Amino acid sequence: LYALVALLGFVVWFRDRSQWLAFWLACLGIAKPLAIVLLGLKLPLSVVVAQGINQPVYVLGDISLWFALLYLLDLHSDERILRLARILAWIEFAEALIDGSLTYGFTLPYFLPWQIADLALMPIVMLVELFPIYLIGIAVLRRSRLDPIRWLVALFAFLSQTIFVAGVCLSQGQRFTHLTLGNKINAPLFTVLGNPINAQAL
């Protein structure tokens, strides 16, 4: 489904390059299939390399959500918000490159410094991840007159990515906090013909 969204979005954007909403929804859609290819298809790559490459791919989903929300909520014409989105995008992309390079440290016999560095990056990630909430809050405060379909797409795009990010961050931090909330977020809610359906898939 994500790949189909990505394909349709890119087709629309290639036909009309002014359709930036289609482009960002396509980028949001392609991030998860790329992650599956890197981590789930048993490619001839080491876990370190696959995880290192996956960090920028993971961030692609975040950044794409921000810019998709800017267009869905009709905030893209506000230069201040657009500038903030660009700054945060560069910060998160730089963090992803650093975080991806840290995966090498976890293969070393003494990897405590890499764990500490990974922990130090987490507050930055968590703060930046609040940006979609800020965007939705601005749209609500401005009482943006958007049709219900735009609000629904914005809401479900936001929920999908936020559930994914929360599950990953909480699972990563479990070795420090010993909290199992990340596992509960990612756990199946029910099964359909033997296929587990979790909150993000729903």
Side-chain angles (χ1 to χ4, degrees):
L1 289 173
Y2 276 110
L4 180 60
V5 168
L7 176 63
L8 292 174
F10 282 129
V11 166
V12 170
W13 184 71
F14 277 120
R15 293 187 64 177
D16 182 356
R17 299 298 175 87
S18 67
Q19 297 290 333
W20 284 103
L21 175 57
F23 173 81
W24 290 115
L25 286 175
C27 290
L28 177 62
I30 201 64
K32 295 188 178 56
L34 284 176
I36 291 171
V37 168
L38 281 168
L39 302 177
L41 294 188
K42 297 184 179 181
L43 298 177
L45 297 172
S46 70
V47 174
V48 173
V49 172
Q51 285 284 7
I53 297 172
N54 186 58
Q55 288 306 112
V57 170
Y58 160 76
V59 164
L60 172 66
D62 286 349
I63 294 172
S64 301
L65 172 65
W66 303 348
F67 285 93
L69 287 175
L70 280 172
Y71 282 88
L72 281 167
L73 302 176
D74 202 22
L75 299 173
H76 60 282
S77 57
D78 188 317
E79 192 57 40
R80 289 178 300 176
I81 296 177
L82 193 58
R83 188 184 307 115
L84 178 59
R86 289 168 179 160
I87 292 170
L88 292 179
W90 281 112
I91 290 172
E92 178 138 13
F93 187 70
E95 180 277 329
L97 293 177
I98 295 169
D99 199 24
S101 66
L102 289 176
T103 56
Y104 170 73
F106 288 90
T107 64
L108 301 178
Y110 182 68
F111 61 88
L112 183 59
W114 280 266
Q115 276 194 321
I116 294 171
D118 191 42
L119 179 62
L121 287 172
M122 284 192 66
I124 299 172
V125 175
M126 296 299 285
L127 284 172
V128 172
E129 297 296 349
L130 296 175
F131 187 54
I133 299 174
Y134 167 77
L135 292 177
I136 291 176
I138 290 291
V140 171
L141 288 174
R142 290 184 178 181
R143 297 180 180 180
S144 302
R145 293 185 177 181
L146 305 174
D147 61 83
I149 297 300
R150 277 179 175 261
W151 278 113
L152 279 174
V153 174
L155 175 65
F156 284 118
F158 167 73
L159 284 175
S160 173
Q161 189 67 11
T162 302
I163 290 169
F164 173 69
V165 169
V168 169
C169 288
L170 290 169
S171 297
Q172 282 185 333
Q174 186 173 337
R175 62 184 181 275
F176 302 107
T177 63
H178 305 294
L179 298 175
T180 59
L181 183 57
N183 294 336
K184 291 177 181 177
I185 289 174
N186 294 323
L189 299 173
F190 54 87
T191 60
V192 177
L193 301 176
N195 296 290
I197 307 296
N198 61 12
Q200 189 197 358
L202 184 62

